[in-house]
Amino acid sequence: MRSSLSLLLGATPLFSSVTAIYYAQSDVYQGSNFFDRFDFMTFDDPTSGYVDYKSRSDADSLGLLKTASSTTGSNKWGVGLKKLDPYDNSIRGRPSVRIEGTTSYTKGLFIADIAHMPGNACGVWPAFWTIGSGDWPYNGEIDIIEGVNMLTSNKNSLHSGNKQCTLQTGGVSMTGSVATSNCQTVASGTGQGTGVAANFFDYTGCGIQSAKNDNFGTPFNAGGGGTYAMEWTDNFIKIWSFPRGYEPPSIKCGAPDVNDFGLPDAYFSGCDIGANFKENRLVFDTTFCGTWAG
């Protein structure tokens, strides 16, 4: 994946009027210090994927990373090409990278310029998402880019903790369609000290399937990549995707006007977003097979 990630954050807009809402840029992830903003996770894949997440030094030595040489260059990270034996239990899987941001955010406008993502292939499962602090998923998870196998249409999802969270399914202005409406993942229980909460009854979360057929995988790459945007407030979460060259002009000016973004791909509302989602950090990963792509 190659990325230049800008975060335009704030619990309240920079200023607003009847027709416009602008956000002030407060954080930027790009250039030669991009990877300094992330921790490299080396635990077993929580989704049971056939993958071996590497430390930064190991990923670098294996050629899985390429750091931008300038403040405006793209950073690249990927997976190892070595073929491994899936029946050898001593091997966790293909070498890969899972990076988690060191800064947590609650609400704001997030804009990611993605130049390239893993192309479509059997078993591949790349994602760009956010995860809440503490035991998953008590402070929420927001899936911004996610898909598997030969899918060329992105799916956005929310995973909430033990507070009720059900999507409004009618009268919502968006281009996508609700696939599942119950966001709640945990019925009861406390954390087990492993970063995962106890007593799961449903891993699915609530999902909205994009109506576009070129915002994930090989078609996304063929168009030169594109831009994803997420607006997160106490009342809703909206997610847009824009092909390269079709980004709203205000994105480039440092004070984006979300009213110029058009209908979102996904509009999550009807749930108490403020109560279920907070203190989220950014995550990029690529796994293989596992609970969805298997």
Side-chain angles (χ1 to χ4, degrees):
M1 185 174 283
R2 298 199 299 269
S3 173
S4 175
L5 180 63
S6 296
L7 303 182
L8 300 105
L9 305 164
T12 57
L14 173 63
F15 62 88
S16 63
S17 66
V18 173
T19 60
I21 301 175
Y22 298 95
Y23 284 85
Q25 181 171 292
S26 65
D27 216 346
V28 178
Y29 292 59
Q30 66 181 26
S32 57
N33 67 346
F34 179 87
F35 291 117
D36 296 338
R37 304 294 303 271
F38 293 91
D39 290 325
F40 283 68
M41 316 311 293
T42 58
F43 46 57
D44 292 341
D45 183 41
T47 61
S48 303
Y50 183 68
V51 66
D52 185 10
Y53 292 128
K54 296 296 186 182
S55 65
R56 181 172 182 174
S57 59
D58 286 346
D60 193 43
S61 65
L62 289 170
L64 306 186
L65 305 181
K66 184 176 181 181
T67 303
S69 57
S70 66
T71 57
T72 58
S74 292
N75 291 273
K76 305 177 184 180
W77 59 99
V79 301
L81 299 178
K82 182 179 180 182
K83 294 182 179 180
L84 302 173
D85 182 357
Y87 300 101
D88 184 347
N89 291 331
S90 66
I91 299 174
R92 291 201 299 177
R94 288 181 62 178
S96 185
V97 172
R98 172 171 167 148
I99 53 177
E100 297 191 6
T102 57
T103 303
S104 294
Y105 304 98
T106 300
K107 298 180 291 188
L109 179 64
F110 302 73
I111 298 176
D113 184 334
I114 308 294
H116 186 277
M117 69 173 68
N120 294 114
C122 183
V124 71
W125 182 358
F128 167 43
W129 46 296
T130 73
I131 186 171
S133 59
D135 288 333
W136 183 88
Y138 286 131
N139 283 328
E141 173 186 327
I142 306 169
D143 299 321
I144 302 168
I145 301 176
E146 189 174 28
V148 297
N149 301 325
M150 306 308 294
L151 295 178
T152 58
S153 180
N154 186 54
K155 185 178 181 181
N156 303 121
S157 301
L158 301 184
H159 298 268
S160 65
N162 57 355
K163 297 182 178 69
Q164 177 64 34
C165 184
T166 303
L167 294 187
Q168 178 181 342
T169 57
V172 181
S173 298
M174 61 179 170
T175 60
S177 57
V178 175
T180 51
S181 60
N182 182 15
C183 310
Q184 190 177 3
T185 303
V186 178
S188 63
T190 58
Q192 299 172 312
T194 61
V196 178
N199 298 333
F200 292 109
F201 71 89
D202 184 4
Y203 291 91
T204 305
C206 53
I208 296 177
Q209 187 66 48
S210 174
K212 301 173 182 176
N213 201 38
D214 59 358
N215 60 358
F216 185 83
T218 300
F220 177 86
N221 296 335
T227 299
Y228 271 84
M230 174 183 73
E231 185 182 18
W232 169 12
T233 74
D234 279 333
N235 300 313
F236 63 80
I237 293 174
K238 296 180 182 179
I239 298 175
W240 295 262
S241 64
F242 306 106
R244 181 74 61 208
Y246 291 88
E247 302 87 352
S250 65
I251 282 182
K252 303 295 185 180
C253 74
D257 177 6
V258 293
N259 286 337
D260 288 342
F261 287 13
L263 288 179
D265 297 10
Y267 190 158
F268 296 92
S269 62
C271 162
D272 188 343
I273 299 295
N276 283 282
F277 297 87
K278 61 181 179 179
E279 298 174 358
N280 274 220
R281 59 191 185 278
L282 306 171
V283 184
F284 288 93
D285 72 89
T286 301
T287 188
F288 299 93
C289 300
T291 54
W292 186 16

